[in-house]
Amino acid sequence: MASPSSFPANVELFLSAHQVSPTTGFLPSPPPDISFKNFEFNIWLFTAKSIPRLLWNYPGEFRKQVDALPLMLFTESHGDLPQWRLAYCALAYIAQAYVWGATVGRPRDEDEAYEEKVLDYVPANIAIPLRHVATRLGIQPGLTYSAVCSWNWHRKFPIVSLTGGERASNLEPIFSFTGTAEETHYVVTHVMLESAGGRALRLALEASKAAGGKDADSLEGALRDLTGAVTKCKQELGIIKEGLEPDVYYSRVKPYLTGLGATNVLPKGVFFRSSPSDSTKGEWIKLSGATASQTCLLPTFDALLGVTHAEESCNKYNERMRRAMPQCHVQFLDSLACLPPVKDYVMANKTNDHLLEAYNSAVIALEGYRDRHFSVIGPAVRLSQAEQWNRFVAERLGDLRPAAVVAPVA
């Protein structure tokens, strides 16, 4: 870690030490793997990819297939991160689909003769390898933003580069719960957001470097470029609602992204079985689910621009979201406190009107991005989510009620 108020001599080495790309930010570069090198583990891949087909066309069959899977531990080299991330994503999707089953997302106009209960456990043949892989990656052993978005995409035509202006039409998720256009749009839009955030991250670091070097002109330029890059993030975020049919998203897609223990449907969380022969052995775990609040972009920009939040509830929520981020990225966020503070340099040079205006513009752009973020995941979405949960509970789960506080999720 760099000493206080010093900028790393080799920024690429500093970023790579925290698994952050100098070009794509918190997105993996090169793109995620889409198959296992060891064919033995492709059974996880096939099972996870069968989720949309089995859940909707053959209710009950998905859990039967999962129960029949052998217990395996992932054995790839620890240095092969793309393979470990692929294993994590596949297992997280399988576990989430196993718990919720077909009940939560079945279209309301389909035959209601079949009822599949929500389960409160993950079988040992999935729970054991999922915890093993999650521990290696330093992340929660369940569905997260990384599993759904950051590590769950591939290019249809690989020659197109993210840094060269990737098009959303060239991306698609590796795994899906429903196979709907709404779920694809949700994943792809967040990948595009993270891609735009990669450029903003580079510019924010350039601003910190300029502040450390007491280079007012370079700092002003970096801040003005950062303003444009953060505005681009805001624009990408605004596209999310455009491709989401509310009835489809909130009734079919959203339930699968919900945390296990985030509502009173599963008040204790889920029981991760630790023995294939003894179902009483294991541990109860509460998981956050997949939410855009687990992105590292906003806390990164806050740290580098010196933006703080006084609200205790906001800080507590952010801390909860950090526990669902990859630990390497959490460590990156912590390391930013040791970089030259942009705000301090600007405040020490308030007589430089151009510099002050550039800084204020960047902060205003960040506030606009944050407002757009909460317009997507904030009160309106929480209300829609609560309405959908009330409908779901009334129709599927009898007297159970959603938790009194539903964390904003997008």
Side-chain angles (χ1 to χ4, degrees), residues 14 41 70 96 98 162 175 179 186 215 235 251 254 279 331 334 336 364 366 368:
F14 167 70
F41 299 109
Q96 194 84 351
Y98 188 92
L162 270 172
F175 304 109
Y186 176 88
D215 186 342
Q235 293 170 349
S251 64
K254 179 64 189 71
S279 62
Q331 292 164 4
D334 291 339
L336 297 179
I364 290 170
L366 178 58

Side-chain angles (χ1 to χ4, degrees), residues 192-274:
M192 294 297 292
L193 167 63
E194 293 290 335
S195 174
R199 179 171 185 269
L201 169 60
R202 294 196 305 277
L203 292 167
L205 288 170
E206 286 179 12
S208 175
K209 181 179 181 180
K214 304 186 186 305
D215 186 342
D217 290 340
S218 295
L219 176 55
E220 179 187 341
L223 287 171
R224 294 193 186 283
D225 289 342
L226 177 61
T227 297
V230 171
T231 300
K232 174 64 174 175
C233 292
K234 175 184 174 182
Q235 293 170 349
E236 293 291 350
L237 192 57
I239 296 173
I240 290 178
K241 285 185 176 180
E242 296 178 7
L244 294 181
E245 176 61 39
D247 285 344
V248 176
Y249 176 71
Y250 288 110
S251 64
R252 295 195 62 190
V253 179
K254 179 64 189 71
Y256 289 101
L257 307 183
T258 303
L260 304 178
T263 73
N264 284 347
V265 175
L266 293 167
K268 296 170 62 178
V270 287
F271 189 71
F272 271 57
R273 292 180 175 175
S274 61

Side-chain angles (χ1 to χ4, degrees), residues 295-315:
T295 177
C296 294
L297 289 177
L298 274 172
T300 294
F301 300 148
D302 283 345
L304 290 171
L305 290 178
V307 176
T308 58
H309 302 278
E311 301 89 346
E312 183 178 354
S313 59
C314 179
N315 290 327

Side-chain angles (χ1 to χ4, degrees), residues 379-394:
V381 172
R382 290 203 300 272
L383 177 60
S384 298
Q385 182 185 27
E387 289 172 346
Q388 290 297 332
W389 268 108
N390 284 333
R391 182 191 306 172
F392 161 64
V393 168

Side-chain angles (χ1 to χ4, degrees), residues 5 27 55 61 68 108 145 161 163 199 217 227 235 242 261 316 321 331 338 343 345 374 393 403:
S5 298
L27 288 180
L55 283 185
E61 287 301 313
R108 297 306 305 159
Y145 179 80
S161 167
T163 56
R199 179 171 185 269
D217 290 340
T227 297
Q235 293 170 349
E242 296 178 7
K316 286 183 177 179
M321 292 302 98
Q331 292 164 4
C338 296
K343 183 179 180 180
Y345 181 79
F374 285 112
V393 168

